Amino acid sequence: MSTVESSKPKIINGSSGYVLEDVPHLTDYLPGLPTYPNPLQDNPAYSVVKQYFVDADDSVPQKIVVHKDGPRGIHFRRAGPRQKVYFESDEVHACIVTCGGLCPGLNTVIREIVSSLSYMYGVKRVLGIDGGYRGFYAKNTVPLDSKVVNDIHKRGGTILGTSRGGHDTTKIVDSIQDRGINQVYIIGGDGTQRGASVIFEEIVRRGLKVAVIGVPKTIDNDIPVIDRSFGFDTAVEEAQRAINAAHVEAESIENGIGVVKLMGRYSGFIAMYATLASRDVDCCLIPESPFYLEGEGGLFEYIEKRLKESGHMVLVIAEGAGQDLMSKSMESMTLKDASGNKLLKDVGLWLSQSIKDYFNQKKMVMNLKYIDPTYMIRAVPSNASDNVYCTLLAQSAVHGAMAGYTGYVSGLVNGRQTYIPFYRITEKQNHVVITDRMWARLLSSTNQPSFLSPKDVADDKEKPMSALLDDGNSSNGPVDVPPVTKEVTK
């Protein structure tokens, strides 16, 4: 693979419609690199494993629900240790950086990358980059070893610090080159991984033996292809605590309404799953599903109906929902943060006030309590499920780097750890598909109206549907294979 071709998809075609969207390898632009026996074969922890190493041709299908006569479809390379590695233990000088907002599990991923490098591969030199991308050239580094990271998984946040923005490709790669770093582990969301992809391209252009590996992080679960992002399970679990508090408040007063605002700038996965898990929610509003306030079938009419029926109700709203209903003249509609995300007004406060105004006009008694647990959820340590998941992500990332793979993220696809090329992670955002079964299950659970007209439903059904209808996740739907500019064979 030449430096010009490094950004183009690396596709391997097989029989029966098999397509492997492969990830780059150091030997694509540095042919003739020496290989070494994988030290795991002498690791006592792996002595009980029947098969130490993943077969070179193992892959994982993106779409698991298929028709008997259909093509085998798109696959990704299976993650795991390889028999040969492209780095000697003493040669490795790794670094880890965390970027973007906080998310449960960041410290667990850091801990497991350090521990995997140390215990599995005997690596002694690992640096933490302090404060996100700008930390490469503007801040001190933090030496990391097993003792430093031993207990950090019990804390929320990230011991390395984080920030938005600050991406200067030339300065970052200069720093990597000057420090002699040859493995770069980048933990962050889609914007962060776009930055990682650019860093990878510059490293290829310079012909450096440096592996660039991403660990996808987003509490909103809006990264495509992967089953879920780490921290999501914890976020849903913590969100239930806020919903329970809102339910207790609403139940305890006359015509009580509990309004809970949850994270979800563009995708409503946390709100949807927390609503389904809690079973105390009467209405869930997400960015993907438009709603209206006044008139027949509107939100106000539904709230009034629920209060008359049961005397209380709980409403969950994702932070990105209803933004179109708020004043178009609001300055925040055009402002963005350092990561390029649109700055949103607090839809929870706006909706709470709108509900109060409606019932004041009707001279109907109503008591509303508004709860915003956003930053409390982001700051907690990860739960047991996410801790296990973070371990798998980190170990898979390290195995891939040692095997010479680069320009990829470590991710879970159909329950299997895989290596996914950067362009698939950054091509779009993952959204709740409101014509899938998962959203229908939520509507059945809450008994809320869909707030959609027949035209809205028809328009949405014209969009690409999820092939795996049961997960409410559009990322597993049919995806057009990017154009192949060059046949890649093995």
Side-chain angles (χ1 to χ4, degrees):
M1 187 191 299
S2 71
T3 56
V4 177
E5 294 174 322
S6 61
S7 62
K8 295 179 180 178
K10 184 179 176 183
I11 308 296
I12 297 175
N13 293 299
S15 60
S16 305
Y18 173 93
V19 178
L20 174 64
E21 294 203 23
D22 206 358
V23 295
H25 194 274
L26 292 172
T27 55
D28 292 338
Y29 65 96
L30 295 172
L33 287 178
T35 60
Y36 312 96
N38 193 323
L40 276 181
Q41 65 189 14
D42 301 317
N43 189 311
Y46 273 70
S47 61
V48 296
V49 180
K50 290 183 178 178
Q51 183 182 350
Y52 287 166
F53 306 115
V54 172
D55 189 279
D57 293 325
D58 281 359
S59 62
V60 177
Q62 178 181 4
K63 189 170 72 170
I64 197 169
V65 178
V66 297
H67 297 291
K68 63 177 183 177
D69 299 322
R72 293 175 64 189
I74 295 172
H75 288 60
F76 299 105
R77 190 169 288 281
R78 184 184 175 190
R82 265 54 180 182
Q83 194 162 5
K84 297 290 184 181
V85 296
Y86 284 77
F87 292 94
E88 289 188 287
S89 301
D90 293 341
E91 171 193 3
V92 176
H93 189 194
C95 75
I96 306 170
V97 63
T98 53
C99 305
L102 295 183
C103 176
L106 282 169
N107 279 335
T108 308
V109 174
I110 294 168
R111 181 188 189 277
E112 291 309 317
I113 290 175
V114 174
S115 297
S116 298
L117 285 167
S118 174
Y119 296 142
M120 293 184 182
Y121 290 100
V123 173
K124 305 297 183 187
R125 296 184 297 167
V126 185
L127 284 178
I129 304 299
D130 187 7
Y133 274 135
R134 62 172 51 92
F136 276 100
Y137 55 85
K139 289 196 174 186
N140 294 328
T141 56
V142 181
L144 299 176
D145 58 31
S146 299
K147 186 175 181 181
V148 171
V149 302
N150 186 49
D151 291 327
I152 63 173
H153 61 290
K154 300 174 183 177
R155 292 182 250 162
T158 165
I159 62 162
L160 299 179
T162 186
S163 67
R164 297 187 183 277
H167 188 280
D168 186 316
T169 307
T170 301
K171 287 184 179 179
I172 291 171
V173 179
D174 283 347
S175 175
I176 290 169
Q177 193 169 3
D178 292 344
R179 296 176 189 273
I181 292 169
N182 51 23
Q183 290 185 9
V184 182
Y185 296 90
I186 300 173
I187 309 168
D190 55 348
T192 299
Q193 301 308 330
R194 276 192 291 273
S197 181
V198 175
I199 291 170
F200 161 69
E201 292 296 327
E202 177 62 16
I203 283 171
V204 171
R205 192 188 68 78
R206 298 189 189 188
L208 304 177
K209 186 188 175 183
V210 178
V212 180
I213 308 97
V215 179
K217 176 229 68 173
T218 166
I219 202 169
D220 292 344
N221 200 40
D222 58 2
I223 288 180
V225 182
I226 61 175
D227 292 355
R228 72 179 191 280
S229 51
F230 74 83
F232 177 69
D233 278 0
T234 305
V236 170
E237 190 174 298
E238 288 297 312
Q240 284 185 84
R241 301 180 196 275
I243 292 171
N244 181 60
H247 184 248
V248 170
E249 288 282 354
E251 247 187 345
S252 303
I253 48 180
E254 182 182 3
N255 283 342
I257 300 177
V259 176
V260 180
K261 185 187 81 172
L262 297 176
M263 288 158 293
R265 183 180 293 273
Y266 305 112
S267 303
F269 287 104
I270 291 178
M272 179 173 73
Y273 277 83
T275 293
L276 282 166
S278 74
R279 309 192 184 279
D280 287 329
V281 178
D282 299 285
C283 186
C284 175
L285 304 172
I286 61 173
E288 296 89 339
S289 183
F291 64 95
Y292 55 99
L293 299 178
E294 300 179 3
E296 185 178 353
L299 180 62
F300 290 155
E301 180 185 83
Y302 175 64
I303 293 173
E304 188 174 350
K305 174 174 173 282
R306 289 297 298 148
L307 291 180
K308 287 177 180 176
E309 288 175 352
S310 62
H312 69 276
M313 81 165 290
V314 174
L315 187 150
V316 167
I317 184 165
E319 62 182 320
Q323 292 292 319
D324 57 322
L325 297 179
M326 301 170 74
S327 173
K328 300 296 183 183
S329 63
M330 286 182 178
E331 187 181 16
S332 67
M333 297 297 284
T334 57
L335 294 179
K336 295 184 177 181
D337 64 19
S339 293
N341 299 312
K342 187 183 293 184
L343 289 174
L344 305 178
K345 282 286 186 181
D346 191 326
V347 70
L349 283 174
W350 169 80
L351 183 61
S352 297
Q353 189 57 52
S354 300
I355 294 170
K356 289 177 183 177
D357 293 342
Y358 173 80
F359 283 97
N360 283 338
Q361 290 174 5
K362 298 209 69 166
K363 301 190 184 314
M364 181 175 169
V365 175
M366 184 274 304
N367 293 284
L368 186 145
K369 305 296 182 184
Y370 173 52
I371 298 175
D372 180 359
T374 302
Y375 293 104
M376 294 175 65
I377 291 174
R378 286 173 22 145
V380 300
S382 52
N383 64 11
S385 171
D386 273 325
N387 267 332
V388 173
Y389 185 28
C390 289
T391 301
L392 297 179
L393 286 171
Q395 290 188 1
S396 296
V398 169
H399 289 318
M402 294 299 295
Y405 294 110
T406 181
Y408 69 90
V409 300
S410 169
L412 194 71
V413 176
N414 291 325
R416 295 285 185 179
Q417 291 295 323
T418 63
Y419 299 139
I420 306 165
F422 278 138
Y423 67 84
R424 286 303 308 273
I425 293 296
T426 60
E427 65 187 357
K428 64 178 182 179
Q429 283 185 312
N430 197 23
H431 296 287
V432 174
V433 178
I434 59 172
T435 48
D436 269 7
R437 289 184 187 141
M438 205 62 172
W439 185 244
R441 290 179 180 126
L442 180 140
L443 296 179
S444 300
S445 175
T446 61
N447 202 29
Q448 72 185 66
S450 68
F451 301 113
L452 292 175
S453 67
K455 181 180 182 300
D456 291 326
V457 174
D459 289 346
D460 198 81
K461 282 188 175 181
E462 291 177 3
K463 298 174 184 177
M465 288 284 289
S466 167
L468 182 55
L469 295 177
D470 285 346
D471 69 354
N473 180 334
S474 63
S475 67
N476 284 327
V479 179
D480 293 334
V481 179
V484 182
T485 56
K486 180 179 177 181
E487 180 80 14
V488 181
T489 59
K490 283 196 169 182

